[in-house]
Amino acid sequence: MRIRVLTLFPELIMETVQTSILGRALEAGLLDVRAVNIRDYAFNKHHKVDDYPYGGGAGMLMQAEPVYLAYEAASKDLNKNTRVIYTTPQGKTFDQKMAAEFAREEDLVILCGHYEGIDERLLEEIVTDHVSIGDYVLTGGELPALIMIDAIARLIPGVLHNAESADTETFENNLLEYPQYSRPEVWHDKKVPDVLLSGHHENVEKWRHEQSVRRTLAARPDLFERYLSEK
Ligand code: 6GU
């Protein structure tokens, strides 16, 4: 999959995706991420890309033209009709289902929002999906872009090795994961639950399911409702 990120902080994007599992996927050619610096497409000598909003009000807006030029340069080698995701707290909330949908695309463009936003005409012209990562406000769209890239990339076949892919259950069956334990059997006076040492596979499964239900009910009553209605 080819991903192009339109951003004011390309180093932040590239350094992060070159780390750990995503870095390995880049090396393996399963993923091709390029960050394009919007500032490189400013048309003034100070590389300024923001301006005051018409009608007044607090804050600055990203201007349409430098973003458009960055988009044109970034998407030159991509398929036509590639989806363009705009990171904004005004968007639809990102979830596992959306990650799976984006993971089926060949190419993606992600536009990182900044300041108080971007000129609406640019958004109308190039953006296909307005996406938020949750109900809180961040200083910019780079961290949301990285979160989405991570969630999408791990769904691309070959990106995760077998031992890493165990946790796909969460959010697929609408239950949170059960607690897990490794050696030693006793740590800080806490013992691993007996059932996990019993070798009784059926009892282990029953215990894990109970734990999942208990945890989901306590932390995510909304998810538990979905579990009940979809099971
Ligand atoms: Cl996508 N961008 C910004 N700036 N803030 C956010 C967000 C996105 N999602 C939640 N808060």
Side-chain angles (χ1 to χ4, degrees), residues 3-228:
I3 301 179
R4 303 292 177 260
V5 184
L6 312 180
T7 171
L8 294 181
F9 300 102
E11 306 83 359
L12 177 57
I13 301 294
M14 293 314 296
E15 284 185 21
T16 307
V17 299
Q18 282 163 16
T19 303
S20 188
I21 293 174
L22 266 53
R24 187 181 68 198
L26 290 175
E27 291 285 332
L30 295 167
L31 195 61
D32 168 23
V33 179
R34 291 182 207 173
V36 172
N37 192 346
I38 295 167
R39 225 180 275 288
D40 290 347
Y41 297 87
F43 36 80
N44 53 73
K45 57 180 176 293
H46 307 292
H47 299 284
K48 196 174 81 77
V49 296
D50 60 333
D51 207 340
Y52 298 96
Y54 282 117
M60 303 289 273
L61 282 186
M62 220 183 299
Q63 294 168 287
E65 186 64 5
V67 178
Y68 189 68
L69 295 175
Y71 164 72
E72 285 199 308
S75 56
K76 254 196 337 269
D77 61 330
L78 304 184
N79 292 323
K80 302 279 164 246
N81 304 317
T82 292
R83 290 169 83 165
V84 179
I85 302 168
Y86 174 48
T87 64
T88 168
Q90 275 76 49
K92 184 172 172 204
T93 308
F94 188 68
D95 61 10
Q96 193 62 38
K97 190 160 157 269
M98 220 189 275
E101 186 186 316
F102 289 137
R104 288 194 294 269
E105 299 287 325
E106 264 185 50
D107 298 333
L108 285 176
V109 174
I110 304 178
L111 168 58
C112 300
H114 265 277
Y115 312 113
E116 298 304 302
I118 304 184
D119 191 305
E120 190 67 22
R121 295 167 294 185
L122 178 280
L123 300 178
E124 286 172 6
E125 190 121 334
I126 73 167
V127 172
T128 59
D129 299 86
H130 290 63
V131 183
S132 164
I133 60 160
D135 291 341
Y136 39 81
V137 179
L138 302 170
T139 56
E142 279 74 16
L143 294 174
L146 286 165
I147 284 169
M148 290 185 225
I149 291 168
D150 191 290
I152 293 164
R154 67 186 288 290
L155 299 177
I156 297 170
V159 167
L160 293 189
H161 295 173
N162 280 342
E164 295 158 355
S165 33
D167 63 354
T168 50
E169 295 279 279
T170 308
F171 302 117
E172 279 173 15
N173 59 7
N174 295 316
L175 285 179
L176 302 180
E177 290 283 301
Y178 46 80
Q180 301 201 83
Y181 304 83
S182 185
R183 288 192 287 184
E185 236 180 87
V186 181
W187 183 80
H188 283 204
D189 291 335
K190 294 172 189 289
K191 197 177 173 313
V192 173
D194 284 328
V195 62
L196 300 180
L197 309 171
S198 69
H200 194 303
H201 186 67
E202 207 174 293
N203 285 352
V204 169
E205 287 309 300
K206 187 163 162 278
W207 181 86
R208 285 177 168 170
H209 180 72
E210 281 167 12
Q211 292 293 316
S212 283
V213 165
R214 211 184 277 272
R215 285 188 157 188
T216 310
L217 211 40
R220 294 291 305 278
D222 58 316
L223 255 196
F224 192 72
E225 281 303 310
R226 263 205 276 167
Y227 163 71
L228 289 181

